[in-house]
C-alpha cells in the first residue's frame, strides 16, 4: 500500500521539479495504456450523457482525498482502492487512483491545494473521505462537471450536501442511544459519563447532543472535555480521569481517533472504559468500538464511483447511503486489563447489537 502520510504526490513533484517537468510527468503518468484511446474525461462525459456503459480498455482518473491518517479513514481508502481494482477487472477498465491520491493531514490549506490540483489534473471523479474533505472538494469542483463521492460523512444533510446536484456518497451516521445503552448495560447504576470529543468536528456535533439528551433522560451526569490536537486530547483524557468518571463516550471523531494510541493506556490504568463510534478506535486500544463496517462503507463508495463513471449515472441518480449500525468491537486486551469478564460483557451487550467482534490492540494500524 502507498504511504498514507503523503500530503500530495503532485504537490511534492511541484516542489521538487520545474513546472514544465511536472507537466510532462503528469501527461506521462495519466495517459492511456494504448495510443488512440479517448481521454478519460471525454469518455466520462460521453458515458454520462448517453447513459451507456464504459467500453473495455478505458481509463478513468480517480482522485482520492483522505482527511487525516488514522485507522477508520485508512480502512476506507484501502477498501475503495481494492474494490475499484476488482470492478476494473470485471468491467475491463482501469481506475487510475495511484497518481491522484492525497492526504491533507487535517490541514485546510492542504485540502484547498489538493482540490485545486485535482481539478487542474482533470480527474473524472473525486472521492472525499470525511466531512471537511467533502466540503472542500465540493467547493473546488464548483465550476466543473467533476462529481464528488464522499465517504464517512456522518450527517450529510447538516453538512449541506443533501440536495446538492454534484455530490453523493456514504454516511457513517452513529446510533448514539445504542452505544449509550452499552455503557449502562456494562455499568448498571452508573451516575456519571465522560464525553471526549473535538468541538470543531462536525461529525461529533449531533452525536454529542444525542448523548447529552440520553444522559439527561436517564438522570446521568456528564463531564465534557475537548481537544483539537493530540496533546490537548491527552490533557482532556487526564482531566476526565481526575474527575473520576468510569466510562467515556467518543463519537466518530477524527481528532480523538488520531490520538487514541496516546490515551488508551492512561484510561486502562485509571479503570476507565472508553466507548467509541468506530471499530478502529478499538483496534487502537479503546475498550469498545460501535458502528458501521468501514470496509463495507469503502466498498459501497467505490460502487458509486463505478456507477458514475461506467454506467452513465449522475450524483442526482444516487441518493447517499446509510448503513445499519449494530456491530460491537471489543478490544479483549483492554477489557481484561480493566478486570472485566469478557463472557459477561458480551452477554450484557447482546440486546443492543447485531454482532460482536473481538480484536486486540494493533499499534501499527493507525
Amino acid at each position: 500500500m502507498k504511504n498514507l502520510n503523503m500530503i500530495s504526490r503532485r504537490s511534492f513533484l511541484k516542489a521538487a521539479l520545474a513546472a514544465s517537468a511536472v507537466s510532462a510527468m503528469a501527461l506521462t503518468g495519466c495517459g492511456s495504456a494504448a495510443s488512440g484511446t479517448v481521454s478519460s474525461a471525454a469518455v466520462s462525459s460521453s458515458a454520462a450523457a448517453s447513459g451507456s456503459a464504459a467500453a473495455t480498455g478505458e481509463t478513468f482518473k480517480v482522485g482520492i482525498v483522505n482527511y487525516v491518517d488514522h485507522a477508520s479513514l485508512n480502512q476506507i481508502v484501502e477498501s475503495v482502492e481494492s474494490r475499484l481494482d476488482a470492478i476494473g477487472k470485471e468491467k475491463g477498465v482501469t481506475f487510475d487512483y495511484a497518481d491522484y491520491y492525497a492526504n491533507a493531514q487535517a490541514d485546510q490549506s492542504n485540502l484547498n491545494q489538493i482540490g485545486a490540483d485535482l481539478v487542474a489534473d482533470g480527474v473524472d471523479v473525486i472521492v472525499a473521505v470525511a466531512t471537511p474533505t467533502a466540503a472542500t472538494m465540493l467547493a473546488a469542483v464548483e465550476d466543473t462537471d467533476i462529481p464528488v463521492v464522499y465517504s464517512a460523512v456522518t450527517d450529510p444533510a447538516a453538512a449541506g450536501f443533501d440536495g446538492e446536484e454534484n455530490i453523493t456518497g456514504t454516511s457513517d451516521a452513529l446510533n448514539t442511544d445504542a452505544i449509550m445503552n452499552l455503557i449502562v448495560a456494562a455499568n448498571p447504576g452508573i451516575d456519571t459519563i465522560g464525553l471526549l470529543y473535538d468541538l470543531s468536528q462536525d461529525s461529533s456535533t449531533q452525536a454529542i447532543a444525542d448523548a447529552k439528551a440520553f444522559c439527561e433522560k436517564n438522570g446521568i451526569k456528564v463531564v465534557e472535555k475537548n481537544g483539537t490536537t493530540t496533546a490537548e486530547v491527552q490533557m482532556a483524557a487526564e482531566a476526565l480521569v481526575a474527575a473520576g468518571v468510569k466510562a467515556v463516550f467518543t463519537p466518530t471523531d477524527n481528532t480523538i481517533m488520531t490520538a487514541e494510541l496516546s490515551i488508551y493506556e492512561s484510561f486502562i490504568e485509571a479503570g476507565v472504559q472508553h466507548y467509541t463510534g468506530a471499530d478502529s478506535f478499538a483496534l487502537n486500544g479503546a475498550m469498545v468500538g460501535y458502528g458501521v463496517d468501514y470496509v463495507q462503507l469503502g466498498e459501497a463508495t467505490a460502487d458509486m464511483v463505478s456507477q458514475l463513471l461506467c454506467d452513465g449515472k449522475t450524483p442526482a441518480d444516487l441518493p447517499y447511503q446509510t448503513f445499519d449500525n449494530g456491530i460491537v468491537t471489543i478490544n479483549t486486551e483492554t477489557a481484561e486489563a480493566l478486570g472485566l469478564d469478557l463472557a459477561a460483557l458480551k452477554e450484557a451487550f447482546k440486546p443492543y447489537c447485531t454482532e460482536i467482534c473481538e480484536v486486540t490492540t494493533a499499534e501499527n494500524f493507525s
Side-chain angles (χ1 to χ4, degrees):
M1 182 183 169
K2 73 178 80 61
N3 178 5
L4 287 172
N5 286 309
M6 290 182 66
I7 293 177
S8 169
R9 284 186 175 84
R10 199 156 304 279
S11 293
F12 174 81
L13 289 172
K14 286 179 179 178
L17 301 172
S20 60
V22 171
S23 176
M25 289 184 68
L27 290 171
T28 301
C30 306
S32 59
S35 61
T37 301
V38 180
S39 72
S40 56
V43 168
S44 178
S45 299
S46 176
S50 66
S52 62
T56 300
E58 291 175 6
T59 296
F60 299 101
K61 304 176 187 177
V62 179
I64 300 179
V65 187
N66 197 358
Y67 178 62
V68 68
D69 185 40
H70 80 48
S72 294
L73 306 190
N74 291 357
Q75 272 186 311
I76 293 169
V77 170
E78 292 179 3
S79 182
V80 168
E81 293 177 349
S82 61
R83 178 61 179 155
L84 287 177
D85 289 343
I87 294 172
K89 290 180 180 178
E90 293 171 6
K91 294 182 176 291
V93 300
T94 298
F95 298 102
D96 179 8
Y97 54 78
D99 291 322
Y100 306 102
Y101 171 81
N103 186 324
Q105 298 188 353
D107 186 299
Q108 185 60 46
S109 62
N110 287 342
L111 281 175
N112 294 338
Q113 184 60 56
I114 290 164
D117 286 349
L118 291 176
V119 169
D121 290 336
V123 295
D124 296 297
V125 65
I126 297 177
V127 176
V129 183
T131 305
T133 310
T136 305
M137 294 307 111
L138 182 59
V141 303
E142 183 176 3
D143 297 323
T144 76
D145 294 325
I146 302 171
V148 174
V149 180
Y150 55 76
S151 193
V153 169
T154 303
D155 192 341
F161 304 150
D162 194 17
E164 286 283 344
E165 293 184 355
N166 208 31
I167 188 169
T168 188
T170 57
S171 171
D172 61 347
L174 181 66
N175 183 340
T176 306
D177 279 5
I179 194 168
M180 299 304 287
N181 279 323
L182 295 180
I183 296 175
V184 174
N187 302 275
I190 190 169
D191 60 5
T192 306
I193 293 175
L195 305 178
L196 178 62
Y197 62 103
D198 181 351
L199 281 168
S200 68
Q201 287 285 315
D202 291 339
S203 60
S204 295
T205 304
Q206 187 59 54
I208 291 298
D210 291 342
K212 290 178 180 178
F214 177 96
C215 289
E216 182 178 358
K217 179 180 178 180
N218 290 278
I220 300 171
K221 298 178 182 178
V222 299
V223 178
E224 294 182 70
K225 298 298 176 184
N226 314 111
T228 58
T229 65
T230 294
E232 290 178 357
V233 171
Q234 289 174 316
M235 289 188 290
E238 291 169 2
L240 288 171
V241 168
V245 302
K246 292 304 178 184
V248 171
F249 166 64
T250 294
T252 50
D253 188 299
N254 295 320
T255 301
I256 310 303
M257 176 63 242
T258 303
E260 186 65 38
L261 283 171
S262 301
I263 63 175
Y264 83 96
E265 290 177 324
S266 296
F267 278 159
I268 289 174
E269 291 171 4
V272 176
Q273 303 168 17
H274 196 189
Y275 292 77
T276 63
D279 61 347
S280 44
F281 283 87
L283 283 161
N284 277 358
M287 191 186 88
V288 171
Y290 179 90
V292 303
D293 181 334
Y294 280 91
V295 173
Q296 179 189 31
L297 196 75
E299 290 174 346
T301 304
D303 287 342
M304 296 180 103
V305 169
S306 174
Q307 289 177 288
L308 292 175
L309 299 183
C310 299
D311 301 335
K313 300 291 185 181
T314 69
D317 298 325
L318 305 174
Y320 76 82
Q321 297 183 42
T322 57
F323 298 81
D324 292 336
N325 288 290
I327 301 175
V328 169
T329 302
I330 301 173
N331 185 312
T332 55
E333 290 177 336
T334 298
E336 290 169 4
L338 289 167
L340 298 172
D341 180 87
L342 184 59
L345 190 65
K346 292 168 70 174
E347 192 63 30
F349 286 168
K350 278 184 180 179
Y352 306 105
C353 63
T354 57
E355 182 181 350
I356 297 176
C357 303
E358 299 178 12
V359 298
T360 56
T361 304
E363 297 198 5
N364 63 345
F365 186 81
S366 67

